[in-house]
C-alpha cells in the first residue's frame, strides 16, 4: 500500500476565479483528521475558490482546521423519498455535513446547496438540528401520519463526533420509544453504545435493528479514508456489544472500492459474524457530482500507483462514466466486475450465517402517547 502524500496545487490565475488564502497551498497539509484535500466552491457559486502557491515558501504548518457548528431550525424533520435505489421511503438526518470526513461520502454534494464546499467545508462547517425531537413528536402526532420504519444514518452519520455534545440522537430515540415507532440505524461509530438504554427497549418490542458500516480492517487505510470515524476494531466491538445486549445487528460493507478494499469483503463479514452480526449488506462506491474529483485527489495521494486502475474499474462499472446509477445501482447489474462483487457477497453471506430472514419492524404498536394527546385512559 502506498503511503499517503499531500497534494500540491499550482493552478494558473484565471478570470472569475478567486484565490482563497485560507486554503492549503504548496506543500501544506489539509489538517490532521480531514479527508478532503481541497475546498473548491460548490457548483452553484458564481466564483470558484482554488488553492495557490503564494511564493512565500513558508514551511510552518497551518493552524488546525477547527469544526464550526451552526444550529439550524428546519420546519420538518422527516424526509420522504420515492427513489427506486433505496429500501426505505422516509429518513431523518439530525446533521448536515459530517465530521467523519469520509472521502467517498456521497452526501458531500449536498453542502453545495448551503453555499459551501463539498470538500473541507462538508466535514468542518456543520449544521445541527437541536429541535429534531420536538419536530418529530409534532409530525408523528399528525392525524394524517401513517407509520413505517424510519431510517437513520442514510445520508450523514447520526453518531458523528458532535453528537457527544448535542445529543440530538438521544432525543429522537426517546421520541420513537414513547410513540412505539420503528426505526433502523446505520452508523460507523461506537458512540451508538451510549444509547443502549434506549435501543434495548425498542429492540425488545421489535421496533429497531442496527447496522455498523465497516469499509476496511486496515487501520491505516481507514484513518486516511475515514479520518474521524471509529477505528475498525471499535466498530467490530460495537457489533459485539449490541448483539450481547439483544439488539438485532448487521454489518454494512460499504462502499466496496474495486482494487482498493473489495478484497477485504469476506474477511470483514467473517469477523462481523464472529462478533454477533446476523445480517449484512453492501454497496459499490458511487461518485456523484463533486465527490469524484475529491476522491481522485485523495486516491492520487494515498495510492498513486493504483489510482488509474481503480478509476478504470469504477468507470467500467458505470458505463464509462465516473457515476451512472442506471449501471451501478439498478436491480439488474450490467457489468462483470459489479456482478462478481455481488456474487462474492452472496456466497460469503451464506457461508458466515449472515443470511438470516429478517422480520419487518413492527408498526402495529404505534400510538400517540397520552402525554401528547392529553387523553388518558379512564382506568389508568
Amino acid at each position: 500500500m502506498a503511503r499517503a502524500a499531500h497534494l500540491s496545487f499550482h493552478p494558473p490565475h484565471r478570470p472569475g476565479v478567486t484565490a482563497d488564502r485560507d486554503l492549503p497551498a504548496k506543500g501544506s497539509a489539509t489538517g490532521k483528521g480531514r479527508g478532503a484535500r481541497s475546498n473548491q466552491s460548490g457548483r452553484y457559486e458564481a466564483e470558484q475558490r482554488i488553492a495557490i502557491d503564494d511564493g512565500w515558501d513558508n514551511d510552518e504548518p497551518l493552524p488546525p482546521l477547527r469544526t464550526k457548528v451552526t444550529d439550524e431550525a428546519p420546519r420538518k424533520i422527516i424526509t420522504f423519498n420515492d427513489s427506486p435505489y433505496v429500501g426505505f421511503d422516509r429518513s431523518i438526518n439530525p446533521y448536515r455535513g459530517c465530521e467523519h470526513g469520509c472521502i467517498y461520502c456521497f452526501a458531500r454534494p449536498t453542502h453545495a446547496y448551503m453555499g459551501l464546499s463539498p470538500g473541507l467545508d462538508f466535514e468542518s462547517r456543520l449544521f445541527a438540528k437541536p429541535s429534531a425531537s420536538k419536530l418529530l413528536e409534532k409530525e408523528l402526532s399528525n392525524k394524517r401520519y401513517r407509520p413505517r420504519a424510519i431510517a437513520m444514518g442514510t445520508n450523514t452519520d447520526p453518531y458523528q463526533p458532535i453528537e457527544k455534545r448535542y445529543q440530538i440522537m438521544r432525543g429522537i430515540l426517546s421520541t420513537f420509544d414513547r410513540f412505539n415507532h420503528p426505526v433502523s440505524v446505520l452508523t460507523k461509530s461506537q458512540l451508538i453504545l451510549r444509547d443502549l438504554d434506549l435501543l434495548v427497549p425498542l429492540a425488545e418490542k421489535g421496533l429497531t435493528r442496527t447496522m455498523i458500516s465497516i469499509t476496511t480492517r486496515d487501520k491505516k487505510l481507514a484513518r486516511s479514508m475515514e479520518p474521524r470515524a471509529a477505528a475498525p476494531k471499535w466498530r467490530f466491538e460495537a457489533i459485539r456489544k449490541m448483539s450481547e445486549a439483544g439488539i438485532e445487528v448487521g454489518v454494512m460493507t460499504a462502499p466496496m472500492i474495486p482494487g482498493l478494499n473489495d478484497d477485504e469483503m469476506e474477511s470483514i463479514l467473517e469477523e462481523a459474524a464472529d462478533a454477533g452480526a446476523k445480517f449484512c449488506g453492501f454497496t459499490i462506491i458511487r461518485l456523484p457530482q463533486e465527490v469524484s474529483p475529491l476522491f481522485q485527489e485523495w486516491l492520487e495521494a494515498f495510492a498513486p500507483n493504483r489510482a488509474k486502475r481503480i478509476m478504470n474499474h469504477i468507470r467500467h462499472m458505470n458505463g464509462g462514466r465516473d457515476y451512472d446509477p442506471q449501471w451501478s445501482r439498478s436491480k439488474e447489474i450490467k457489468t462483470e466486475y459489479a456482478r462478481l462483487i455481488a456474487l462474492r457477497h452472496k456466497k460469503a453471506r451464506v457461508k458466515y450465517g449472515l443470511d438470516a430472514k429478517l422480520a419487518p419492524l413492527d408498526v402495529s404498536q404505534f400510538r400517540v402517547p397520552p402525554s401528547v394527546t392529553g387523553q388518558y385512559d379512564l382506568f389508568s
Side-chain angles (χ1 to χ4, degrees):
M1 183 69 71
R3 295 185 61 187
H6 294 294
L7 296 179
S8 297
F9 299 97
H10 306 278
H13 176 73
R14 297 192 302 273
V17 177
T18 60
D20 192 331
R21 302 292 175 173
D22 293 330
L23 298 180
K26 179 182 177 181
S28 66
T30 56
K32 278 190 174 182
R34 300 299 178 182
R37 314 187 91 77
S38 61
N39 205 39
Q40 294 189 16
S41 302
R43 58 193 180 280
Y44 300 114
E45 301 308 298
E47 294 186 328
Q48 181 184 1
R49 294 176 299 174
I50 59 174
I52 66 170
D53 178 8
D54 59 11
W56 284 90
D57 291 325
N58 188 355
D59 293 329
E60 294 182 9
L62 291 173
L65 181 61
R66 302 194 181 281
T67 300
K68 298 178 181 179
V69 184
T70 301
D71 288 355
E72 186 178 356
R75 290 182 295 176
K76 293 186 177 181
I77 198 64
I78 302 176
T79 300
F80 293 86
N81 79 85
D82 57 0
S83 171
Y85 301 120
V86 298
F88 54 87
D89 73 341
R90 63 198 69 184
S91 60
I92 293 176
N93 293 295
Y95 304 100
R96 290 181 189 263
C98 187
E99 203 173 5
H100 282 159
C102 302
I103 190 57
Y104 52 75
C105 182
F106 62 84
R108 284 181 177 273
T110 61
H111 243 46
Y113 294 112
M114 310 300 292
L116 296 171
S117 170
L120 290 170
D121 282 348
F122 176 79
E123 50 196 275
S124 63
R125 297 181 67 177
L126 312 179
F127 297 84
K129 305 173 185 178
S131 60
S133 60
K134 292 183 179 179
L135 288 172
L136 180 59
E137 179 179 296
K138 179 181 178 182
E139 292 172 44
L140 296 184
S141 301
N142 192 309
K143 293 181 179 179
R144 291 175 292 181
Y145 180 77
R146 297 295 177 265
R148 291 188 67 179
I150 291 179
M152 302 204 63
T154 59
N155 196 43
T156 57
D157 201 310
Y159 283 106
Q160 59 180 284
I162 60 173
E163 167 64 15
K164 294 178 182 178
R165 174 159 55 100
Y166 276 83
Q167 300 193 33
I168 296 174
M169 190 61 177
R170 278 196 67 82
I172 290 173
L173 291 177
S174 296
T175 301
F176 282 135
D177 185 46
R178 289 193 296 116
F179 280 76
N180 282 343
H181 193 289
V183 57
S184 63
V185 182
L186 171 64
T187 181
K188 52 171 60 81
S189 174
Q190 83 275 29
L191 183 58
I192 191 174
L193 299 176
R194 178 202 65 187
D195 293 338
L196 283 179
D197 60 317
L198 298 171
L199 290 166
V200 169
L202 284 166
E204 290 174 345
K205 293 184 284 187
L207 295 175
T208 194
R209 66 172 55 101
T210 62
M211 291 191 83
I212 299 296
S213 176
I214 303 178
T215 313
T216 178
R217 297 169 69 242
D218 184 329
K219 184 178 178 180
K220 290 183 179 179
L221 175 58
R223 187 54 57 213
S224 179
M225 188 166 60
E226 308 161 331
R228 296 199 176 191
K233 68 174 183 179
W234 298 120
R235 301 188 215 180
F236 286 114
E237 183 66 12
I239 291 176
R240 185 179 308 280
K241 289 187 176 180
M242 283 192 289
S243 176
E244 291 172 350
I247 298 171
E248 194 173 52
V249 58
V251 58
M252 175 66 80
T253 49
M256 289 288 95
I257 305 171
L260 184 66
N261 71 338
D262 64 314
D263 61 312
E264 296 187 69
M265 182 168 61
E266 287 84 355
S267 62
I268 292 172
L269 294 178
E270 181 179 14
E271 187 169 346
D274 289 342
K278 300 301 181 186
F279 61 99
C280 62
F282 82 101
T283 63
I284 293 172
I285 189 169
R286 42 183 164 143
L287 302 174
Q289 302 288 354
E290 294 93 342
V291 182
S292 182
L294 289 167
F295 178 77
Q296 290 184 64
E297 284 178 357
W298 172 84
L299 194 59
E300 287 287 353
F302 186 79
N305 295 332
R306 288 185 289 162
K308 183 177 180 180
R309 183 175 61 183
I310 291 169
M311 286 306 303
N312 284 340
H313 280 314
I314 292 173
R315 290 177 182 129
H316 175 67
M317 291 192 295
N318 286 275
R321 301 173 181 171
D322 288 359
Y323 178 61
D324 186 338
Q326 295 297 324
W327 284 77
S328 59
R329 301 195 69 201
S330 60
K331 291 184 178 179
E332 183 182 348
I333 300 175
K334 299 179 181 179
T335 63
E336 296 84 357
Y337 205 109
R339 283 199 296 268
L340 178 60
I341 292 177
L343 179 61
R344 286 171 49 203
H345 187 271
K346 181 179 179 180
K347 288 183 174 294
R349 186 170 69 235
V350 174
K351 179 178 181 179
Y352 300 121
L354 293 167
D355 56 344
K357 201 78 170 177
L358 300 177
L361 296 178
D362 188 3
V363 299
S364 66
Q365 301 177 59
F366 173 76
R367 61 176 177 79
V368 180
S371 60
V372 175
T373 63
Q375 298 177 348
Y376 288 88
D377 187 345
L378 178 64
F379 300 100
S380 62

